[in-house]
Amino acid sequence: MGVLGPVGTHSEAAALYLAAWQQLDREIVCYGDIGECLHAVETGAVESAFVPVENSLEGAIAVTLDALARSDILRVRREVIWPVHNYLMGRRTQGEVRVVYSHAQPIAQCRDFLLRHCPQAEIIKTASTARAAEIVGASPVDAGAAAICTRRAGRLNGLVEIAGKIEDRGSNCTRFFEVVRDAAAEPPDTVLMVCQIDGSRAGALYDVLGEFAHHAVNLTRIESRPARTELGAYMFFFDLDAHSAEDALRDSINAVAEKSIWLKVLGVFPVHTAHNEQ
């Protein structure tokens, strides 16, 4: 299973949880970025990728959505909702923190904490939280460097905990997709689809949403992304409640397809909420 690396990221922690929960002995392969993870699935280098798609505080992960939309191969097999806890870790527990390293998402998730406790610190973005821990682990003890990372990443790099669970909201969580080339059928909770509509026509989105309402299909999420064809062209991702009547789901999707430039169903999958206290 491909994940965003190096070892010690939230992605790796969530993937390890999934493997343990499924009681499967899975090899975890770390990649430098999310795009590489998904490309590895497309080429067959790995059987699956486990990648973030949305954070409850900072919103959608664009690279994941865009890769799914443009691929004719990738499908979502499962969603895992992962409670996210961030830790400020350094070479020592005492002393001024002068520079903080982390991925852009945790930095945003801990903005209030940083303003209160490290107002003068330089904030440097890294490719991942685990990479931040590696940088701080290699820095001099008196450099005043700290990383926002997982406990595992910190400990792997010889760091100690300065402050724990520093996320601005206790409800902070990230949705992860297990992405494969061919998803086996399991009792589903969500249908994920994406379509592009003619944005130059007044009421085009209203008409699409009306089809779901007409067929009594509940939408649990809607997200727009640039279609990358021209300025003002957008594609729309819809999460549909799979517990709606089967014929209603089918008929609503078919009706929306007729009103779209193109449409793809990216997965019909179960949703699992993890219990992460680390």
Side-chain angles (χ1 to χ4, degrees):
M1 177 188 290
V3 302
L4 175 63
V7 171
T9 60
H10 287 292
S11 295
E12 188 220 20
L16 290 171
Y17 171 91
L18 176 62
W21 175 67
Q22 294 180 312
Q23 297 182 330
L24 295 175
D25 183 17
R26 291 190 175 187
E27 180 185 5
I28 305 297
V29 181
C30 291
Y31 289 91
D33 59 52
I34 293 170
E36 289 183 22
C37 292
L38 296 171
H39 182 65
V41 179
E42 289 186 300
T43 61
V46 293
E47 187 270 335
S48 65
F50 196 65
V51 293
V53 67
E54 182 185 23
N55 177 260
S56 60
L57 300 185
E58 291 303 308
I61 312 297
V63 62
T64 300
L65 292 176
D66 290 347
L68 288 171
R70 69 171 177 262
S71 176
D72 292 325
I73 298 174
L74 300 178
R75 294 294 180 268
V76 180
R77 177 160 68 189
R78 184 183 321 277
E79 175 182 329
V80 175
I81 300 173
W82 179 252
V84 174
H85 301 307
N86 294 309
Y87 295 82
L88 187 69
M89 303 193 74
R91 296 293 306 277
R92 58 187 181 187
T93 58
Q94 302 298 321
E96 180 186 7
V97 174
R98 294 191 290 273
V99 57
V100 175
Y101 296 89
S102 195
H103 186 271
Q105 284 271 334
I107 289 170
Q109 293 163 19
C110 303
R111 188 178 292 113
D112 291 347
F113 175 90
L114 292 172
L115 288 173
R116 290 196 311 270
H117 299 282
C118 309
Q120 306 302 319
E122 179 184 6
I123 309 299
I124 299 178
K125 296 177 181 178
T126 58
S128 68
T129 53
R131 177 56 185 150
E134 287 181 341
I135 293 171
V136 175
S139 68
V141 174
D142 60 356
I148 299 175
C149 58
T150 64
R151 271 180 173 161
R152 173 172 161 80
R155 290 169 178 169
L156 285 171
N157 289 279
L159 306 184
V160 292
E161 186 177 319
I162 299 171
K165 296 187 178 181
I166 64 172
E167 58 274 5
D168 295 336
R169 301 290 183 273
S171 59
N172 186 24
C173 62
T174 295
R175 299 171 65 214
F176 283 88
F177 282 166
E178 183 184 10
V179 179
V180 296
R181 291 167 60 98
D182 184 22
E186 294 188 42
D189 298 304
T190 296
V191 177
L192 174 64
M193 56 165 279
V194 60
C195 65
Q196 183 180 348
I197 62 176
D198 182 4
S200 66
R201 185 176 65 81
L205 180 57
Y206 176 86
D207 290 344
V208 165
L209 296 175
E211 291 296 342
F212 296 122
H214 174 70
H215 291 90
V217 172
N218 185 37
L219 291 177
T220 58
R221 178 174 174 270
I222 179 172
E223 182 83 30
S224 65
R225 289 286 303 150
R228 296 188 173 185
T229 55
E230 59 181 322
L231 186 65
Y234 290 88
M235 54 187 176
F236 292 86
F237 293 82
F238 298 100
D239 283 7
L240 314 179
D241 185 351
H243 301 105
S244 304
E246 184 177 348
D247 57 345
L249 282 166
R250 181 187 62 250
D251 292 346
S252 64
I253 293 172
N254 289 339
V256 171
E258 292 179 1
K259 297 181 177 181
S260 302
I261 298 171
W262 55 264
L263 181 147
K264 295 179 185 178
V265 175
L266 299 175
V268 182
F269 50 86
V271 178
H272 174 70
T273 299
H275 300 285
N276 169 32
E277 296 302 328
Q278 298 300 313

